[in-house]
Amino acid sequence: MQDLHFMNFVGGADLFGYVGIEAVLDQMRMKTMKAGFEFNIMVVGQSGLGKSTLVNTLFKSKISRKSCTPNYEEKICKTVKLHAVSHVIEEKGVKMKLTVVDTPGFGDQINNENCWEPIVKYINEQYEKFLREELNVNRKRRIPDSRVHCCIYFLPATGHRLRPIDVEFMKRLGKMVSIVPVIAKADTLTVEERQEFKEQIRKDLDANGICVYPQEEFDEDPDERLLNHRIRESIPFAVVGTDQEHQVNGNKVLGRKTKWGIIEVENVAHCEFANLRDLLIRSHLQDLKDVTHNILYENYRVRRLNESNITFSELELSSWPTENGTDKSQL
Amino acid sequence: MSSFKGPDKGPRGLNLAGHVGFDSLPDQLVNKSICQGFCFNILFWCQTCETGIGKSTLMDTLFNTNFENFESSHFEPQVKLRAQTYDLQESNVRLRLTVVNTVGFGDQMNKQESYQPVVDYIDRQFESYLQEELKIKRSLHNYHDSRVHACLYFISPSGHSLKSLDLVTMKKLDSKVNIIPVIAKADTISKSELHKFKIKIMSELVSNGVQIYQFPLDDETVAKVNTSMNGHLPFAVVGSTEEVSVGNKMVKARQYPWGIVQVENENHCDFVKLREMLICVNMEDLREQTHTRHYELYRRCKLEEMGFKDTDPECKPVSLQQTYEAKRQEFLVELQKREDEMRQMFVQRVKEKEAELKDAERELQSRFEQLKRLHADEKANLEDKKRLLDEDQSSFSKRRAAAQLLQAQSFTANGKKDKDRKNSGFM
């Protein structure tokens, strides 16, 4: 028996009076607040670029332990060891489980060939975990989400151009995760130097076909495209991080005190930290999650379901195809 | 080789030293949903009522519009269930509302199996979603969700109790859809009778284990109103799109000679409560329950039916991939077997046909031989006869010749004698 389906449009003018449909927004708001949110962020960059400080500044709490503190066990890692730490933070009734994945050892060796492999593996493992949960016959009501929603890639403020390791990393991971490149310790660049550096980086990204967040191909409508275009024109953000407060003009501000002045972290005239924070947290956090779930995860799933000769037990030995198609086992 | 440490078990809470800004997260989420729009699908169902129970009127009243304006003039007598989709908009919220209605059900004589089409319809929507979910390249993000989120089950205002068919039907539906029981045409029952009727219905539902939709109590903001509403079930409703002037206002009402029943007056009927509960307070919960409870149940049953399990007989986790592969192999083997069978059968048939033809050929051949022999015999026969005839003929002609000769001889002898006589006469 065929189902007959008729489509009609009943516009606002055709509703004779208030129905209360818009109350669904509040219902949704309440439900999501009750359920809480998860957000997983990865920081990648060689040691000494201020990764932990930046994360702490972003989330205004001591999430990561800085490697420069005296108690930190300084081991020279031969390989990149990923390290994920979760915390629950709450703001105005909104609970968020924040997981920060650190990648000590990345870019620190003399020979950095393949230092991205453990990172690629980690990201794929999280996708795999989610996929398996999703494919279960008996599924959890809410599948725990450990997929990396955002990867902040730290570029040292050399002022020149992207280094080969930067290009390699972003090329390979650009299709798997949303990469947000930032210029670290940007207080060593003047405004003009910063501008030139950013332009050069954007040129390099273009020349190498690297897609960073917000990815142009995922823009859904003209408004979004316009908004994201403006963001794409100003990345990578040049940031400075700190956890210390100082007095400036009678106000307490977050800043770095130097002999020649105080660098106010949240002052947009000084650095672009506020822009980064607004992008990552205040405006595009949900979008980062959506892109990861609706596009990047789906891409992984398609690839995975098409590979009928790889079973879970072979996960340890399987070769993950990289974006440019080369087999990792041959690298 | 690398290793990583997973997140700590039970993450610690942290205090924030200032305003971070992720409190805007629910707003970000809501904004995205606004862009996408919402889907809501209601089924209006009455198993034991006659047509004219007021389903369409109630629909119009609930959504404050005149759906009949959009009614197509196309009428299908065979179609029992009709689904119509409307795009409603209120301020910035776009709602894609699908109303599934039954046509002419109540007038049937035999209503026994008539709930089956409804159950099938609900299952079809689940199936459709499941198919999309199982696709390799899928777009769940943009999928038009047609699963039934709420079923307004109409109870006939008999004033006594639930009919057994109602109980059976609701029991069939309660694990597939959120059921909200509604007493139709409530203005035909008096208030006291109505109260008794409601209590009777609820107790019958409970004693028969029918799980109707309970308004959720876990959120403090709505727990209070939901608890009180749960106590008013089933809602006694009156629907009307006619407006009557009461006092100095125009209100939706039904005008009788003995008074005016106002639809939106809570003393007259529970319409306002129904609208509150269905739309303003619990629409999102109805959608969520449909997805996390009813759909998951359907999915689980369907997958188990198809032979998928989470653990194999040794209780080791089995991935869907493995099961799928195993099934695929099974299927291919089956296909191969069937192909072989068919091939064999074909060969067999060919052989048989060949044998048949050979037989026929042989038979023809023998008949031909036979005929040939017959012909030869005949011929021989005829030859014999001919020979005899010839012999006869030749002997006859010989005798004739001999006879003629004799005759000739005797004649000449006679003639000579005569001549001699003649001649002798002259001498």
Side-chain angles (χ1 to χ4, degrees):
Chain A
M1 202 202 310
Q2 259 299 81
D3 288 331
L4 275 189
H5 245 98
F6 301 100
M7 306 278 284
N8 299 292
F9 177 70
V10 182
D14 293 298
L15 292 177
F16 301 141
Y18 185 71
V19 177
I21 298 172
E22 58 175 10
V24 74
L25 297 180
D26 277 332
Q27 295 170 32
M28 180 178 261
R29 206 173 269 129
M30 281 195 293
K31 271 196 182 282
T32 50
M33 277 184 53
K34 191 156 173 294
F37 299 85
E38 286 169 305
F39 190 58
N40 310 319
I41 193 169
M42 181 186 271
V43 285
V44 181
Q46 59 200 70
S47 55
L49 285 181
K51 301 192 294 286
S52 306
T53 313
L54 184 71
V55 170
N56 291 346
T57 319
L58 267 175
F59 292 100
K60 293 211 161 65
S61 51
K62 294 210 184 330
I63 294 187
S64 306
R65 272 199 313 173
K66 298 191 281 187
S67 54
C68 57
T69 55
N71 294 329
Y72 194 88
E73 285 164 19
E74 191 90 37
K75 274 198 213 141
I76 301 173
C77 318
K78 288 223 177 75
T79 55
V80 178
K81 277 179 147 65
L82 281 88
H83 182 64
V85 175
S86 297
H87 295 277
V88 173
I89 46 182
E90 186 178 331
E91 194 169 63
K92 297 220 178 94
V94 179
K95 280 204 198 58
M96 183 156 88
K97 179 175 170 218
L98 176 72
T99 305
V100 179
V101 184
D102 200 358
T103 56
F106 179 86
D108 287 341
Q109 317 304 325
I110 293 176
N111 179 1
N112 285 312
E113 238 170 75
N114 305 333
C115 61
W116 48 80
E117 274 177 20
I119 298 175
V120 169
K121 185 159 173 196
Y122 176 84
I123 293 174
N124 281 329
E125 271 166 357
Q126 307 320 303
Y127 284 145
E128 182 68 22
K129 233 193 266 181
F130 194 89
L131 181 64
R132 296 197 77 232
E133 289 277 356
E134 200 188 27
L135 289 179
N136 270 344
V137 174
N138 283 307
R139 299 200 283 207
K140 298 201 175 94
R141 201 179 177 98
R142 208 175 145 196
I143 300 175
D145 190 359
S146 59
R147 301 170 294 186
V148 179
H149 301 126
C150 169
C151 173
I152 306 185
Y153 187 72
F154 287 72
L155 299 165
T158 61
H160 297 302
R161 57 185 321 145
L162 287 182
R163 304 162 301 161
I165 187 178
D166 301 329
V167 172
E168 277 309 303
F169 180 85
M170 288 199 274
K171 227 174 163 172
R172 284 163 195 280
L173 268 84
K175 293 270 186 291
M176 294 173 59
V177 70
S178 293
I179 300 183
V180 176
V182 295
I183 301 172
K185 298 203 165 170
D187 47 343
T188 58
L189 296 170
T190 65
V191 175
E192 294 79 21
E193 285 167 350
R194 185 212 294 172
Q195 214 39 47
E196 274 173 27
F197 189 29
K198 286 194 342 175
E199 270 168 30
Q200 185 58 50
I201 291 176
R202 283 198 291 273
K203 269 204 221 127
D204 285 344
L205 289 176
D206 246 342
N208 284 287
I210 298 173
C211 272
V212 295
Y213 184 82
Q215 298 94 329
E216 189 154 14
E217 46 185 336
F218 303 155
D219 286 338
E220 283 186 353
D221 54 58
D223 290 335
E224 199 178 344
R225 195 182 302 272
L226 195 64
L227 176 69
N228 287 347
H229 195 63
R230 265 190 248 130
I231 297 171
R232 283 189 281 267
E233 289 292 296
S234 49
I235 52 147
F237 292 123
V239 294
V240 174
T242 186
D243 50 5
Q244 299 186 320
E245 288 184 328
H246 303 274
Q247 288 279 356
V248 173
N249 296 340
N251 296 325
K252 255 184 159 204
V253 294
L254 271 179
R256 279 172 64 77
K257 190 162 181 201
T258 65
K259 289 235 155 68
W260 45 91
I262 295 178
I263 305 160
E264 295 164 48
V265 163
E266 278 169 323
N267 186 339
V268 292
H270 290 197
C271 77
E272 295 174 322
F273 170 80
N275 302 14
L276 177 71
R277 181 205 50 212
D278 287 347
L279 175 73
L280 279 189
I281 301 175
R282 293 186 187 174
S283 63
H284 283 67
L285 204 154
Q286 186 59 38
D287 188 59
L288 281 162
K289 291 177 60 167
D290 284 344
V291 164
T292 308
H293 180 63
N294 294 330
I295 304 174
L296 300 171
Y297 167 69
E298 287 296 316
N299 289 346
Y300 174 83
R301 184 177 173 275
V302 168
R303 223 175 41 223
R304 190 80 177 85
L305 293 185
N306 277 328
E307 295 163 358
S308 55
N309 54 350
I310 295 182
T311 62
F312 188 66
S313 60
E314 289 168 38
L315 194 72
E316 292 297 318
L317 315 162
S318 69
S319 53
W320 295 107
T322 53
E323 312 81 65
N324 55 6
T326 56
D327 197 333
K328 273 177 58 165
S329 58
Q330 274 141 39
L331 287 171
Chain B
M1 266 304 117
S2 81
S3 65
F4 69 95
K5 234 162 75 183
D8 305 333
K9 292 241 146 62
R12 315 196 319 263
L14 268 186
N15 289 325
L16 303 174
H19 179 62
V20 176
F22 61 86
D23 56 338
S24 65
L25 205 40
D27 288 325
Q28 291 180 35
L29 188 60
V30 163
N31 284 336
K32 282 211 171 247
S33 302
I34 289 179
C35 291
Q36 253 186 294
F38 296 84
C39 265
F40 194 56
N41 310 315
I42 313 182
L43 168 67
F44 284 70
W45 177 232
C46 179
Q47 183 63 18
T48 56
C49 318
E50 300 69 38
T51 44
I53 199 70
K55 296 200 295 279
S56 312
T57 318
L58 186 65
M59 239 162 71
D60 287 352
T61 324
L62 259 178
F63 289 98
N64 239 335
T65 184
N66 201 341
F67 285 123
E68 276 158 20
N69 280 344
F70 304 93
E71 203 81 352
S72 70
S73 54
H74 186 63
F75 179 71
E76 285 269 314
Q78 307 97 307
V79 173
K80 302 266 174 58
L81 273 176
R82 197 155 57 170
Q84 294 198 236
T85 304
Y86 307 92
D87 275 335
L88 299 168
Q89 181 149 359
E90 188 171 79
S91 65
N92 57 348
V93 179
R94 281 175 304 119
L95 180 72
R96 179 155 275 189
L97 175 74
T98 301
V99 178
V100 187
N101 215 333
T102 55
V103 181
F105 249 110
D107 295 336
Q108 280 180 304
M109 292 296 281
N110 175 16
K111 299 176 189 173
Q112 277 304 102
E113 283 304 309
S114 55
Y115 58 65
Q116 200 54 46
V118 179
V119 171
D120 288 343
Y121 176 84
I122 297 175
D123 278 345
R124 268 203 298 280
Q125 312 317 309
F126 283 148
E127 182 64 31
S128 186
Y129 190 91
L130 182 63
Q131 289 299 323
E132 185 66 28
E133 202 188 12
L134 290 178
K135 272 193 201 159
I136 292 187
K137 265 198 149 74
R138 60 189 188 179
S139 61
L140 279 178
H141 181 52
N142 293 326
Y143 181 76
H144 168 53
D145 190 1
S146 60
R147 300 173 292 182
V148 180
H149 299 122
C151 170
L152 287 186
Y153 191 89
F154 283 72
I155 299 171
S156 198
S158 65
H160 300 143
S161 63
L162 276 178
K163 303 203 183 110
S164 57
L165 189 55
D166 278 328
L167 282 168
V168 166
T169 310
M170 284 208 263
K171 196 93 179 77
K172 268 259 173 216
L173 291 176
D174 71 357
S175 60
K176 292 192 181 288
V177 72
N178 300 315
I179 301 181
I180 300 177
V182 159
I183 302 172
K185 295 210 161 161
D187 50 350
T188 57
I189 321 180
S190 76
K191 203 160 177 159
S192 54
E193 278 176 356
L194 186 62
H195 188 62
K196 272 193 260 165
F197 188 30
K198 281 191 184 185
I199 293 179
K200 191 92 197 343
I201 292 175
M202 290 310 280
S203 71
E204 281 191 341
L205 288 176
V206 166
S207 60
N208 280 282
V210 174
Q211 301 214 313
I212 57 170
Y213 176 72
Q214 291 292 314
F215 301 119
L217 306 172
D218 44 4
D219 191 338
E220 319 80 45
T221 40
V222 294
K224 193 147 165 266
V225 67
N226 277 346
T227 322
S228 110
M229 290 299 178
N230 276 329
H232 279 101
L233 282 173
F235 293 130
V237 292
V238 171
S240 172
T241 44
E242 304 284 309
E243 294 212 331
V244 176
S245 88
V246 170
N248 53 356
K249 284 201 295 174
M250 287 300 278
V251 294
K252 282 199 275 283
R254 287 175 63 76
Q255 185 158 43
Y256 291 105
W258 49 87
I260 298 173
V261 179
Q262 293 163 47
V263 168
E264 278 164 329
N265 184 334
E266 293 202 56
N267 286 327
H268 290 193
C269 76
D270 295 330
F271 173 79
V272 172
K273 294 194 181 72
L274 174 64
R275 184 202 268 159
E276 264 290 293
M277 285 294 100
L278 188 63
I279 303 171
C280 306
V281 180
N282 298 307
M283 195 196 287
E284 189 58 25
D285 187 67
L286 283 162
R287 279 151 41 99
E288 193 182 301
Q289 291 292 326
T290 306
H291 180 65
T292 56
R293 200 147 60 93
H294 302 297
Y295 169 71
E296 282 298 310
L297 181 64
Y298 175 85
R299 179 181 174 272
R300 199 161 45 236
C301 294
K302 200 71 202 303
L303 290 181
E304 279 172 3
E305 216 180 285
M306 296 206 288
F308 289 103
K309 309 182 279 294
D310 281 335
T311 56
D312 65 12
E314 293 110 55
C315 281
K316 284 206 299 280
V318 171
S319 77
L320 205 72
Q321 195 67 28
Q322 283 172 271
T323 319
Y324 179 72
E325 265 310 295
K327 280 207 160 287
R328 194 159 158 267
Q329 277 305 106
E330 218 179 279
F331 180 68
L332 285 175
V333 164
E334 175 78 24
L335 261 182
Q336 189 64 30
K337 202 164 74 161
R338 287 226 234 123
E339 197 184 323
D340 288 340
E341 263 175 42
M342 267 177 78
R343 192 169 288 138
Q344 267 188 331
M345 212 163 65
F346 180 73
V347 168
Q348 183 74 4
R349 286 247 222 101
V350 167
K351 276 215 184 89
E352 278 175 21
K353 203 66 189 200
E354 241 177 36
E356 242 177 78
L357 284 172
K358 270 217 167 69
D359 277 344
E361 200 186 329
R362 248 184 288 129
E363 203 185 300
L364 269 175
Q365 190 74 8
S366 71
R367 279 201 62 186
F368 178 69
E369 301 278 303
Q370 202 184 36
L371 278 172
K372 205 162 133 193
R373 257 182 286 127
L374 261 167
H375 176 76
D377 281 346
E378 276 288 311
K379 199 166 163 202
N381 228 354
L382 282 170
E383 298 267 301
D384 275 347
K385 281 207 176 122
K386 191 172 171 220
R387 207 172 13 93
L388 274 169
L389 201 62
D390 278 343
E391 278 177 13
D392 255 352
Q393 205 176 43
S394 75
S395 76
F396 175 73
S397 51
K398 266 202 218 135
R399 274 200 296 184
R400 194 171 68 161
Q404 273 186 332
L405 191 65
L406 258 172
Q407 203 174 44
Q409 269 183 347
S410 80
F411 188 69
T412 46
N414 278 351
K416 199 167 174 205
K417 241 197 252 175
D418 277 346
K419 219 173 166 182
D420 277 341
R421 244 180 319 137
K422 261 182 189 170
N423 287 346
S424 62
F426 291 128
M427 301 188 23

